[in-house]
Amino acid sequence: MTNTTVNKIMPTAKSFSLSSLNTQAYRFFRWVLPPIFGLFLLVVIWALISEKTPELPGPIKTWASAVELFSDPFYDHGINDKGVGWNILASLQRVGLGFGLAALIGIPLGFIIGRFEFISRMTAPVISLLRPVSPLAWLPIGLLVFKAANPAAIWVIFISAVWPMIINTAVGVGKVPQDYMNVAKVLNLSEWKIVTKILFPFVLPYMMTGVRLSIGVAWLVIVAAEMLTGGVGIGFWVWDEWNNLNVEHIIIAIFVVGIVGLLLELILTQIAKRFSYE
Amino acid sequence: MEKANADKYVQLEHVDMTFHTKKGTFNALKGINLNIKEGEFISIIGHSGCGKSTVLNLIAGLLQPSEGLLFCAGREIAGPGPERAVVFQNHSLLPWLTCFENVYLAVERVFSTETKAQLEARTHAAIELVGLSHSSDKRPNEISGGMKQRVGIARALAMEPKVLLLDEPFGALDALTRANLQDELMKIMAKSGCTAVMVTHDVDEAVLLSDRVVMMTNGPSATIGEILEVNLPRPRARLELAEDKEYNHLRSEVLRFLYERHAKKSA
Ligand SMILES: Nc1ncnc2c1ncn2[C@@H]1O[C@H](COP(=O)(O)OP(=O)(O)O)[C@@H](O)[C@H]1O
Ligand SMILES: [Mg+2]
């Protein structure tokens, strides 16, 4: 019992020593203060602009509205009036589906393109032609083919998320050092072993970069797509609140979209770190 | 075409190698003729860029000659094969596999009919042979350069090759580590009795380890300039040889070839 008490006291005593206090202060000034200051500045500028523009609600008014909104995020008053939580989940589900399909097709395709020069040359013009097209331009095609709004939105997510995964995976495969391929040849490894023991581990970090870029694009696009397709979703919610002229809710939606995007990015960065062999 | 002959275990006949690059063609090797005896230790020495690695890669089957033929044990070399194992210049271990797994990958393929236990035993034996049993579960980036090269040697030896091909295996190591590994390689080769071809640019290494030193002229169109017989008795001890007259004579022969007759114009 006494032992554990001592162990508990020791680090506390240490952390109050002068030198560690200094490093703590240093860390605070270097890593904590600047971001807080940046966010504070954003709020101040927003407050100043809203002072001059009566239509734009200020931070305090928006905060009050947000507290009210998030006190009951999962209410359900029929198809066109659901809590903000439902809307976020609906958008996440669409992104998940479109993004998952894109990974399922984009990653293997990237491997094939990276591995076989003929296929790489064959697909290069198609990719260069289609990739710069704005994702929303694909929406009418989706509506036409699927004859429903929801699959069309998922289709738009798919088409915008698939390119970074194809391209990054293919680039990774192209960068596999000749040394490793020589090892594969000298050891006479089967194509399966080459893929699982050499290509896949090497390409994984490139692939994860593609996945991260994809999820970013997908989340960017979903808001715009939902504005056009309607239904339940954060994008449609923004549009609906614009029609209701509830500007506080639009500003809240902007923050929500930003925060969810940030979280998605963080989660994927963590996963990517897990997979790195360095 | 039965050419299996202990005196001509590995054969290079009129081998030319021309590379076709974007900048045009480059004739790296011209008219290489070499017969390697079974169990012999051959060094290939020459200035950097003369084509030593190219010769080795041709024997390994990683490259195909533009002209001429290569044979191993009487059969034409058509590609890489398990009877010819390679120790690469920069170890080329897969960084995401442990030392054990790196060696196992080679063993698994060569002895595909054996059970898992047998394969694991082989892997352990090869790692023990190079004195790395304690590090077998470490990844390459957790061990020193010398240890990595040992794993590379273990991986090659575990395949029980007839011919061991080594491309500047100790080039990146410090002098002490290099000397240690050279001594160990000599012991291992004496035990296994397999044929070895080693590329090097280290004169002492060449003379100390080899039965014959193949000296190459400078490229382009590099070829074999001279072949030096090293008739020093084995086992060879580095310290005694340092004062040995014959050893020093052979050493200066190689030096004279490299720095007088075929000096590389300063780049
Ligand atoms: N794949 C290749 N394509 C074009 N040129 C090559 C290739 N491999 C080697 N060479 C050229 O052939 C020459 C010999 O190379 P190499 O065998 O690596 O030399 P060494 O191992 O003796 O330093 C060099 O001039 C090199 O640039
Ligand atoms: Mg070389």
Side-chain angles (χ1 to χ4, degrees), chain A:
Chain A
M1 217 36 222
T2 36
N3 238 342
T4 52
T5 340
V6 170
N7 278 343
K8 268 185 192 160
I9 288 170
M10 284 303 279
T12 336
K14 245 190 179 171
S15 68
F16 275 105
S17 78
L18 199 63
S19 71
S20 95
L21 205 66
N22 266 342
T23 55
Q24 274 185 357
Y26 173 78
R27 275 204 198 135
F28 179 77
F29 278 111
R30 196 184 160 108
W31 297 110
V32 183
L33 201 62
I36 290 178
F37 190 62
L39 289 174
F40 177 72
L41 208 64
L42 177 72
V43 173
V44 167
I45 291 171
W46 170 18
L48 285 178
I49 295 174
S50 72
E51 278 295 299
K52 301 271 179 254
T53 341
E55 305 83 38
L56 188 73
I60 296 165
K61 210 173 155 202
T62 309
W63 178 255
S65 170
V67 170
E68 190 190 333
L69 190 67
F70 281 98
S71 62
D72 184 16
F74 290 106
Y75 72 83
D76 187 350
H77 299 161
I79 272 283
N80 280 326
D81 190 11
K82 284 190 196 310
V84 67
W86 288 123
N87 284 290
I88 295 170
L89 286 181
S91 297
L92 278 176
Q93 194 193 7
R94 281 189 198 106
V95 165
L97 267 172
F99 170 80
L101 282 174
L104 223 58
I105 290 171
I107 290 171
L109 199 60
F111 268 101
I112 294 169
I113 290 173
R115 190 94 177 90
F116 303 103
E117 208 183 314
F118 181 83
I119 297 186
S120 162
R121 288 186 202 283
M122 196 176 87
T123 47
V126 180
I127 293 177
S128 321
L129 182 76
L130 298 185
R131 190 174 62 116
V133 175
S134 161
L136 290 181
W138 294 101
L139 187 62
I141 307 282
L143 286 169
L144 198 75
V145 172
F146 299 109
K147 305 208 165 43
N150 198 38
I154 293 169
W155 153 252
V156 170
I157 296 301
F158 167 82
I159 201 85
S160 53
V162 81
W163 308 119
M165 288 200 266
I166 295 178
I167 291 166
N168 280 279
T169 307
V171 164
V173 173
K175 288 213 169 127
V176 172
Q178 188 56 41
D179 283 349
Y180 295 163
M181 296 322 285
N182 278 345
V183 169
K185 279 191 212 154
V186 165
L187 301 187
N188 191 19
L189 297 181
S190 61
E191 187 69 24
W192 172 247
K193 283 276 173 191
I194 292 177
V195 169
T196 56
K197 297 285 175 172
I198 297 180
L199 294 185
F200 193 75
F202 182 85
V203 172
L204 207 55
Y206 292 89
M207 227 170 74
M208 287 311 294
T209 305
V211 165
R212 250 175 49 215
L213 290 173
S214 285
I215 200 93
V217 175
W219 190 243
L220 272 181
V221 168
I222 190 68
V223 176
E226 283 170 350
M227 279 186 176
L228 295 174
T229 59
V232 184
I234 194 75
F236 179 66
W237 192 72
V238 170
W239 196 244
D240 206 33
E241 298 300 350
W242 167 240
N243 288 330
N244 299 338
L245 275 179
N246 191 338
V247 187
E248 286 98 343
H249 281 186
I250 294 175
I251 295 173
I252 292 166
I254 289 171
F255 276 103
V256 165
V257 168
I259 290 166
V260 172
L262 190 72
L263 288 178
L264 288 175
E265 173 90 23
L266 273 178
I267 292 168
L268 282 168
T269 312
Q270 268 341 92
I271 295 175
K273 268 194 199 148
R274 273 290 184 93
F275 279 122
S276 162
Y277 57 87
E278 292 297 349

Side-chain angles (χ1 to χ4, degrees), chain B residues 99-166:
Chain B
C99 299
F100 182 90
E101 290 164 336
N102 264 290
V103 177
Y104 190 85
L105 197 61
V107 170
E108 183 183 37
R109 186 66 181 172
V110 179
F111 306 100
S112 51
T113 56
E114 294 187 0
T115 65
K116 197 156 182 266
Q118 281 172 306
L119 295 174
E120 281 173 358
R122 276 183 187 279
T123 309
H124 280 302
I127 290 176
E128 197 178 337
L129 189 68
V130 296
L132 277 184
S133 296
H134 55 285
S135 303
S136 82
D137 288 330
K138 289 195 175 144
R139 302 256 176 110
N141 61 0
E142 297 169 321
I143 60 179
S144 69
M147 289 157 91
K148 278 181 223 169
Q149 208 47 274
R150 280 168 198 258
V151 180
I153 293 172
R155 177 172 64 184
L157 289 174
M159 297 168 73
E160 293 193 349
K162 298 279 190 328
V163 183
L164 187 63
L165 304 169
L166 307 110

Side-chain angles (χ1 to χ4, degrees), chain B residues 91 95 125:
Chain B
H91 66 77

